[in-house]
Amino acid sequence: MTVPDAPLRVGLIGAGGIAASHLDAWQALGAECVISSRTRPEALAARYGVEIADDVDALIDRVDVVGILTPTPTHPDLALRAIARGRHVVCEKPLAVSAAEARRMAGAAEAAGVRLFPAHVVRYFAAYRRIQQQVAVGGIGALRSLRLSRSGAGPTAGWFYDEGAGGGLIRDLLIHDIDQALWLAGPVVSVSARQDPPSVDGRFSAPVTAVVELTHANGVTTRIDGGWLGEGAPFRTTIAVAGTEGMLVHDSADAVAGTTDDTTDAGPAPSVESGAGYLPPQAEDHPYRAQIADFADAIRTGGPARVTPADGVAAVAVVDAAYASIAAGGAAIPV
């Protein structure tokens, strides 16, 4: 199903921290936007000059594309409602709390002939994209290992700290780097993970850290470190990719400082206001805009997007295995 060259009509469900980035990206393409939220988001609507739909069903009726920006447990129901009415769906990561639910979403979209786009925005950050391109052409020889990290202050909404309610450090934050590992090194066959301090009855609080270790089907190994470190902690990500003929590295702290490393260009520096907090920074290369532009092009042409439903499902499957590993005391869990 493609959409003619008229302005896309886009409805965004949810008005949390990521909503502004999605609105900015869609409006940069000339899309006509409407939003819906459990609490009427007057300030956000006024800032972007958009209407507020009376409810989710009214929003779905008005649009070509539905963007789901709500807490993770709500994703399947909202996506399936939109898909059943022939709407394309952009869904914030993770697609769902479990891989089984994510597969159900992907299967419904395929059966209905509409598109489902998991919003794994790190694929659209220029530095990560350049690393992926160099790996893909063999620029560092055969891939051997990956090491990634991601940390920041952490979110403020309580549900993020309740794994039973669909939150979780690995599920919500480290899934970015899990997706990168899958993008760079391919399918994962086993996962081991640790969290400090561990959750109690599924609940935890910042500061909290976790380590996730992956073994890929091709023998490559990945280690991912991350944390929600509490108020005032700067947002920082790193990646180091080792091959038989060299290494590629990137550190967002170097990009903020205006420096680069010896192996790969760090890319444009993030804007000043993005140096701390919870969300990945909005860099001058506009990764959120690049992501939405890719999705919009795929909708218009019927062509592929950089991230697929299968990618979203695979990332959630690794998250499932990571939590199973933590429950089993760090044992390796097959995927």
Side-chain angles (χ1 to χ4, degrees), residues 209-224:
T209 60
V211 177
V212 180
E213 296 176 314
L214 314 177
T215 300
H216 297 263
N218 57 8
V220 174
T221 58
T222 294
R223 175 178 168 126
I224 301 169

Side-chain angles (χ1 to χ4, degrees), residues 49 62 74 127 149 203 224 241 270 303 318:
R62 295 175 56 175
T74 67
S149 71
R203 296 177 181 271
I224 301 169
V241 181
V318 172

Side-chain angles (χ1 to χ4, degrees), residues 4 162 197 217 275:
D162 186 347

Side-chain angles (χ1 to χ4, degrees), residues 31 40 46 63 76 84 87 93 113 128 142 146 173 188 204 211 222 234 264-265 271 282 288 292:
R40 288 187 65 82
V63 301
R87 304 315 190 241
K93 42 59 50 193
Y128 286 84
L146 311 175
L173 183 68
V188 168
F204 62 98
V211 177
T222 294
T264 190
D265 182 3
S271 58
Q282 177 65 279
Y288 295 92
I292 294 302

Side-chain angles (χ1 to χ4, degrees), residues 8-76:
L8 281 170
R9 300 171 301 162
V10 178
L12 300 181
I13 306 172
I18 199 64
S21 295
H22 281 255
L23 273 170
D24 169 79
W26 282 114
Q27 289 191 335
L29 297 177
E32 299 172 356
C33 298
V34 61
I35 58 177
S36 176
S37 178
R38 287 180 301 173
T39 57
R40 288 187 65 82
E42 281 88 355
L44 185 67
R47 178 181 173 187
Y48 287 93
V50 299
E51 293 184 41
I52 301 172
D54 290 335
D55 54 41
V56 166
D57 291 318
L59 178 143
I60 294 172
D61 283 341
R62 295 175 56 175
V63 301
D64 309 303
V65 183
V66 173
I68 299 173
L69 318 178
T70 51
T72 303
T74 67
H75 292 178

